[in-house]
Amino acid sequence: MTDRFVAAIDQGTTSSRCIIFDGSSHILAVDQREHRQIFPRPGWVEHDAAQIWARVQEVVAGALGKAGLKPSDLAAVGITNQRETTVLWDRATGRPVHHALVWQDTRTEALCAELAGDQGRDRFADRTGLPLASYFSGPKIRWLLDHVPGVRERAERGELLFGTMDTWVIWNLTGGAVHVTDVTNASRTMLMDLRTLDWDDGILADFGIPRSLLPEIRSSAEVYGTGRGVLEGVPIAAALGDQQAALFGQTCFSVGDAKSTYGTGSFLLLNTGKEPVRSHHGLITTIGYQLGGEAPVYALEGSIANTGSLTQWLRDRIGLITTAAEIETLALSVEDNGGLYLVPAFSGLFAPHWRPDARGVIVGLTGFAGKGHLARCVLEATAFQTRDVVDAMVLDSGVELKALKVDGGMTANNLLMQTIADMLDAPVTRPFVSETTCLGAAHAAGLVAGVWPDLDALRAEWRRAAEWTPRLDDRVRDRMLRKYRKAVELAKGWIDEDDLEVEGR
């Protein structure tokens, strides 16, 4: 290998991190800083982009200091980021015109319904792979143009720039010299054609967005420019949205390779190869990565709203446990779920159902049920939801899942990982390096810089830390899945017009 080092900047939803790796993919140093979460109204979520840029500079300097390195010791830096979060700024001054609208923000829901019209939420799905939803960047841009005084006029005069957080960070790292995004982040805007890898002029016209706002779309791994200031002279050589970076960090380079990141929610991505696979079963078609001038690699993605947040709910709202780790011990105090099934549709069901009218239910209650059974059914809900997404992926792609690579904080729960393996009837593996998002960004940048020669070298460095293989009887699995699916049907349609009035929507 090499003694050269690669940095990864992870601009996340709640914090920014910088991790420095050596040429053997070992972590040398980590620095992390949180930024402010801004909630102006129910359902509105904003970030201060200027504060985020300040935090990025702090974590880069902090990681370099901890590692005892100078910027000149770095072969390259890769960027990974929270996706869809949208910022507009003045191209001359670099000042944002408004707080960034975060991917979680739902203020554009009415706009999405208006844009859908008679053609429905899949109006642009053939080109973008995405349903019309407040999740994505395009509607957020339109909202800023329509609601912030003077912004549309300034945008039409060419005075403003748009970016997701990769674009914002790269623009600032290069002193305003480079305005780019990569294909993975562009594929989350609803404005890019998945086949041409360019902004779609028809969609831009429908959204009322000037093309001059938009960054140049580039591959996920190439030199975009060189850093100034805190990363003076360092090649900025990769950018990937966070879940795609985890796919790359997990070395999911072959068709059928899949990874799932288990955090507050969960994101499961399946490599589908060189052609986009249109989903007809509630998934998102997206780009997994593109290396330089090579053809892009596509993926199917399923997002699950509530997984780790269920444990937080059991701890903070129900008071059944005092630490997240206690849920495993409590769940192991019983042999099974005691007949309890939980559907955690706290804010509706995400993939593959997409039912905003659903709400959470617990079914199967008897006098026998106790707190151990509740803890167990909370964990099983994550496994059932994972199986739902995997089933949809198999239906869409025709590719059977042979194994699932996992990462994220919930993978420390061995019972949960075993339950997922049991429900999938497939092995579940956890890597030795758990920071797969940063690792993916570092690996992509390191390929460009020659720190690693090719994908085979990255595969060789991937190490398995733990593996769980299925051990549940087929009949038991089938019965549990059947019961869970009955519970899902009970959760649907719970919200009606009276409830919407109560919730102030």
Side-chain angles (χ1 to χ4, degrees):
M1 282 288 95
T2 174
D3 59 358
R4 293 199 293 169
F5 308 103
V6 181
I9 295 170
D10 178 5
Q11 201 302 290
T13 305
T14 59
S15 67
S16 298
R17 294 185 300 167
C18 181
I19 300 182
I20 297 175
F21 297 87
D22 68 14
S24 297
S25 303
H26 297 136
I27 293 175
L28 290 186
V30 182
D31 201 63
Q32 184 167 356
R33 300 278 192 281
E34 293 186 353
H35 56 262
R36 191 161 55 107
Q37 306 297 308
I38 303 163
F39 305 101
R41 298 184 189 178
W44 292 27
V45 190
E46 299 178 353
H47 288 159
D48 181 341
Q51 183 191 45
I52 285 176
W53 167 234
R55 294 290 184 267
V56 167
Q57 295 175 85
E58 290 167 7
V59 297
V60 169
L64 286 169
K66 290 175 181 178
L69 299 176
K70 307 181 297 296
S72 58
D73 295 316
L74 297 177
V77 61
I79 312 296
T80 183
N81 57 287
Q82 54 168 323
R83 306 171 300 175
E84 298 98 12
T85 294
T86 298
V87 61
L88 300 185
W89 68 94
D90 187 298
R91 71 164 67 234
T93 67
R95 294 194 191 96
V97 302
H98 189 274
H99 285 149
L101 305 191
V102 180
W103 59 272
Q104 300 156 312
D105 189 288
T106 60
R107 74 186 69 184
T108 59
E109 183 58 39
L111 171 62
C112 290
E114 176 189 326
L115 288 167
D118 295 336
Q119 299 174 66
R121 294 275 178 165
D122 284 341
R123 177 181 175 184
F124 305 112
D126 282 341
R127 285 171 279 173
T128 68
L130 310 175
L132 266 163
S134 59
Y135 189 15
F136 304 112
S137 306
K140 298 180 191 298
I141 300 173
R142 168 70 179 271
W143 189 94
L144 290 166
L145 293 173
D146 287 349
H147 290 86
V148 182
V151 162
R152 177 170 289 282
E153 294 75 16
R154 294 172 67 191
E156 290 174 349
R157 292 196 298 266
E159 297 173 5
L160 303 182
L161 300 176
F162 151 75
T164 42
M165 281 299 158
D166 59 313
T167 302
W168 172 245
V169 169
I170 292 169
W171 192 85
N172 280 287
L173 282 173
T174 59
V178 178
H179 185 221
V180 299
T181 189
D182 95 297
V183 289
T184 69
N185 282 291
S187 74
R188 313 298 293 197
T189 61
M190 274 202 99
L191 305 176
M192 188 191 81
D193 187 302
L194 282 176
R195 292 188 180 275
T196 66
L197 307 185
D198 195 8
W199 305 118
D200 186 289
D201 288 323
I203 297 176
L204 292 179
D206 289 331
F207 274 74
I209 294 174
R211 192 180 179 109
S212 61
L213 271 177
L214 305 179
E216 180 185 358
I217 302 174
R218 305 272 285 273
S219 81
S220 309
E222 59 178 276
V223 176
Y224 309 123
T226 54
R228 299 182 186 177
V230 71
L231 283 175
E232 187 71 37
V234 180
I236 301 166
L240 300 103
D242 52 9
Q243 300 307 321
Q244 287 95 335
L247 185 79
F248 200 81
Q250 288 275 35
T251 66
C252 293
F253 303 142
S254 300
V255 174
D257 287 350
K259 74 88 196 175
S260 188
T261 299
Y262 291 98
T264 302
S266 294
F267 298 86
L268 201 157
L269 272 72
L270 172 76
N271 182 325
T272 60
K274 305 291 183 160
E275 288 291 325
V277 174
R278 171 73 189 277
S279 177
H280 298 283
H281 297 91
L283 304 176
I284 287 168
T285 305
T286 193
I287 294 181
Y289 58 88
Q290 183 189 22
L291 303 180
E294 297 180 12
V297 172
Y298 294 89
L300 284 170
E301 177 176 330
S303 52
I304 303 170
N306 293 294
T307 51
S309 58
L310 288 177
T311 301
Q312 296 168 346
W313 169 75
L314 205 64
R315 180 192 66 196
D316 301 336
R317 306 297 292 176
I318 306 301
L320 207 57
I321 53 177
T322 56
T323 67
E326 289 177 21
I327 190 171
E328 183 174 13
T329 302
L330 186 56
L332 285 169
S333 68
V334 294
E335 292 184 359
D336 54 35
N337 62 20
L340 296 189
Y341 291 84
L342 166 67
V343 180
F346 292 170
S347 54
L349 284 168
F350 279 34
H353 307 283
W354 297 109
R355 291 291 297 264
D357 62 342
R359 283 298 180 269
V361 298
I362 299 174
V363 298
L365 282 167
T366 65
F368 172 72
K371 57 185 180 180
H373 301 111
L374 181 58
R376 199 165 190 113
C377 82
V378 162
L379 291 181
E380 288 176 354
T382 292
F384 291 137
Q385 291 181 104
T386 300
R387 174 62 186 258
D388 270 354
V389 169
V390 168
D391 284 350
M393 286 182 168
V394 172
L395 288 170
D396 278 331
S397 68
V399 177
E400 292 290 336
L401 185 75
K402 295 179 180 177
L404 181 66
K405 293 180 175 180
V406 296
D407 52 72
M410 293 182 77
T411 61
N413 188 312
N414 293 307
L415 176 59
L416 173 60
M417 295 301 103
Q418 180 62 54
T419 305
I420 292 172
D422 287 340
M423 288 303 123
L424 295 182
D425 195 22
V428 169
T429 57
R430 183 178 66 205
F432 183 76
V433 177
S434 60
E435 300 288 358
T436 55
T437 302
C438 281
L439 183 63
H443 275 171
L447 282 175
V448 176
V451 177
W452 295 279
D454 51 34
L455 296 183
D456 286 339
L458 300 182
R459 282 192 183 98
E461 288 195 359
W462 190 90
R463 295 284 186 272
R464 181 175 61 205
E467 182 176 66
W468 296 267
T469 56
R471 59 190 189 198
L472 194 64
D473 181 83
D474 289 347
R475 290 172 300 175
V476 175
R477 178 190 306 109
D478 291 345
R479 184 179 72 250
M480 293 176 72
L481 289 169
R482 186 177 70 253
K483 291 285 191 181
Y484 174 74
R485 287 161 183 160
K486 285 177 66 176
V488 168
E489 292 307 309
L490 293 172
K492 293 176 180 177
W494 186 257
I495 295 297
D496 53 32
E497 290 184 6
D498 289 344
D499 295 311
L500 295 178
E501 291 177 9
V502 170
E503 293 183 10
R505 298 183 182 176

